[in-house]
Amino acid sequence: MLERGEVANSWRRERWDSLRLLTPNWQSRLPGQHYDGRDPDGYMTMAEVSDFIERYAAHSRTPLRTQTDVTSVRRTDDGYHVTTSQGDFGTQAVVIASGACNQPSVPPIGAAVPDSVEQLTPFDYRDPAKLPDGGVLVVGASATGVQLAAELQRSGRPVTLSVGEHVRLPRRYRGRDVLWWMDASGVWDQRYDEIEDLTRARRLPSPQLVGTPERATLDLNALTSMGVELVGRWAAVRDGTALFSGGLRNMFSLADLKMRRLLAAFDEWATASGLDAEVGPPERFEPTRVPASNRLQLDLGSGEIRAIVWATGFRPDYGWLDVPVLDAKGRLDHDGGIVSSPGLYALGLPVLRRRKSSFIYGIEDDARDVIGHLAGHLAARR
Ligand SMILES: Cc1cc2nc3c(=O)[nH]c(=O)nc-3n(C[C@H](O)[C@H](O)[C@H](O)COP(=O)(O)OP(=O)(O)OC[C@H]3O[C@@H](n4cnc5c(N)ncnc54)[C@H](O)[C@@H]3O)c2cc1C
């Protein structure tokens, strides 16, 4: 197992200081290692996640080579040639487990932002002190965007949040964590080959959730109550002015509708499973409040906005993969982790084999399936 940095590198190097997992502790599971602390319903800090993974590496006796950067993987007649910062070698099979979030995605409009406005990605951001005083425009309202918008607003900087398509969820529903419902009702076990629009499912933004000791909901209504200003999707920059789409009302209605449908599906499942007496009564949430007047443009040269935080998602980096298995958009061509080049496999990608593949605890079932195929491949060669 080759790792360019150290164990749990992404959690140590590529996350901000206040981040906690949005998945509850009981859901942090790796094959043969479950959470055994005193707060199964809490949410791990980054130090705790790193420690959890470090313990797993030791306990599983993973044959690890850290500080080993893979710079090329090429197909050969009998497998693959791997070039690393610590030397080359040949192998019959390769599992790509290099992560889905190696680089922040920043839309091309970033290039048109005046130099007077500082631009950061979640990889640059550590805490509010990193930013100049003054207004901040956070772009993107998924988990990263809502969390950073809340933290920056609390630091005294006026925050404007540009909202595109998003997934609204309450932190708790009928007395249980909303992710308990996802897990227990089977939503997260749904297989990739049963999902109607798999491409869309794999591109779905992360839910508006935060892991805090208070187990608070962090949806757009919570941000509005804190004083965050909501604007529409950032469409363009013209003459130094940011132009935002209208239609917040429609976007909010759609996210509210999808949330209501999901919660109704949980209710049906609870009734069918005879659980109604064990959980709280069904809850209905206030629709997302539409601002009385939402701005359609913002002069980026006026000094009102001193910094922009791009919370517009992440993407993988396959710059080192010299095998023609990427599509026109740079996505890996695979069928449930079995890549279209024999002996090449992938793990750790969104909805790889199940909806839960996007999360740490999805790895157990996925690894079993993918490694089963890999073992068959090696046996057939022998
Ligand atoms: C901001 C953020 C918050 C998240 N919150 C949660 C959460 O609350 N709960 C949850 O379950 N999941 C969460 N996730 C998803 C979680 O990161 C993934 O499920 C998990 O990290 C996947 O593990 P991985 O080992 O496949 O990928 P990674 O953790 O990305 O690890 C990939 C490793 O590969 C190494 N690598 C990459 N390229 C090379 C190379 N060329 N040579 C050598 N080594 C290389 C990297 O250094 C890295 O250590 C979050 C993701 C992000 C980005």
Side-chain angles (χ1 to χ4, degrees), residues 203-253:
R203 290 174 56 87
L204 210 61
S206 56
Q208 290 172 335
L209 285 177
V210 62
T212 56
E214 301 77 33
R215 293 179 192 147
T217 291
L218 187 59
D219 57 10
L220 297 178
N221 283 348
L223 289 171
T224 301
S225 301
M226 291 171 67
V228 171
E229 180 185 350
L230 306 181
V231 295
R233 195 167 194 284
W234 189 349
V237 179
R238 199 171 300 142
D239 301 329
T241 296
L243 307 180
F244 304 107
S245 312
L248 272 186
R249 185 179 300 277
N250 286 345
M251 203 158 38
F252 291 179
S253 307

Side-chain angles (χ1 to χ4, degrees), residues 367-382:
R368 193 184 315 110
D369 296 350
V370 168
I371 301 310
H373 194 286
L374 187 154
H377 170 77
L378 294 183
R381 284 171 57 103
R382 276 200 291 274

Side-chain angles (χ1 to χ4, degrees), residues 286-308:
E286 182 199 2
T288 307
R289 296 194 294 274
V290 184
S293 67
N294 68 289
R295 288 201 270 180
L296 295 177
Q297 51 185 48
L298 207 162
D299 179 1
L300 295 171
S302 69
E304 179 189 345
I305 296 295
R306 301 287 313 283
I308 293 171

Side-chain angles (χ1 to χ4, degrees), residues 21-306:
L21 290 188
L22 54 77
T23 40
N25 289 337
W26 58 264
Q27 224 166 33
S28 288
R29 284 202 301 259
L30 290 169
Q33 181 174 311
H34 291 203
Y35 176 80
D36 54 6
R38 280 182 304 171
D39 187 15
D41 295 322
Y43 309 91
M44 286 188 193
T45 62
M46 291 304 99
E48 288 166 338
V49 183
S50 304
D51 182 55
F52 186 76
I53 297 176
E54 184 112 20
R55 268 197 288 139
Y56 183 74
H59 142 94
S60 63
R61 301 217 209 122
T62 303
L64 257 173
R65 286 196 206 165
T66 53
Q67 309 302 332
T68 305
D69 194 4
V70 176
T71 53
S72 164
V73 169
R74 273 191 295 113
R75 182 99 189 258
T76 58
D77 289 343
D78 62 346
Y80 294 90
H81 182 87
V82 180
T83 307
T84 82
S85 55
Q86 306 289 342
D88 291 21
F89 60 92
T91 174
Q92 293 181 28
V94 173
V95 180
I96 302 169
S98 50
C101 305
N102 306 118
Q103 292 167 342
S105 297
V106 176
I109 41 175
V113 170
D115 291 343
S116 56
V117 180
E118 200 170 309
Q119 298 188 53
L120 286 95
T121 71
F123 276 27
D124 312 316
Y125 179 86
R126 286 290 166 270
D127 63 67
K130 272 261 180 294
L131 273 73
D133 286 337
V136 184
L137 174 59
V138 177
V139 190
S142 296
T144 302
V146 295
Q147 291 181 26
L148 298 187
E151 176 162 283
L152 288 162
Q153 180 78 23
R154 270 190 227 108
S155 77
R157 292 164 177 78
V159 171
T160 306
L161 178 64
S162 166
V163 183
E165 188 196 351
H166 57 276
V167 178
R168 180 182 178 197
L169 284 182
R171 179 71 268 184
R172 288 168 73 75
Y173 183 61
R174 300 180 67 178
R176 302 276 175 105
D177 196 290
V178 74
L179 300 186
W180 176 85
W181 288 93
M182 293 275 205
D183 183 58
S185 67
V187 170
W188 273 10
D189 279 323
Q190 194 184 10
R191 286 177 54 93
Y192 77 111
D193 46 9
E194 294 166 358
I195 296 174
E196 218 170 278
D197 189 346
L198 182 59
T199 308
R200 195 178 142 64
R202 286 183 169 156
R203 290 174 56 87
L204 210 61
S206 56
Q208 290 172 335
L209 285 177
V210 62
T212 56
E214 301 77 33
R215 293 179 192 147
T217 291
L218 187 59
D219 57 10
L220 297 178
N221 283 348
L223 289 171
T224 301
S225 301
M226 291 171 67
V228 171
E229 180 185 350
L230 306 181
V231 295
R233 195 167 194 284
W234 189 349
V237 179
R238 199 171 300 142
D239 301 329
T241 296
L243 307 180
F244 304 107
S245 312
L248 272 186
R249 185 179 300 277
N250 286 345
M251 203 158 38
F252 291 179
S253 307
L254 192 64
D256 290 350
L257 175 75
K258 287 186 180 163
M259 178 182 73
R260 277 198 308 273
R261 272 198 205 139
L262 182 70
L263 301 181
F266 292 160
D267 293 340
E268 268 176 39
W269 168 80
T271 304
S273 317
L275 277 173
D276 279 325
E278 272 180 48
V279 292
E283 294 172 75
R284 292 297 167 251
F285 297 93
E286 182 199 2
T288 307
R289 296 194 294 274
V290 184
S293 67
N294 68 289
R295 288 201 270 180
L296 295 177
Q297 51 185 48
L298 207 162
D299 179 1
L300 295 171
S302 69
E304 179 189 345
I305 296 295
R306 301 287 313 283

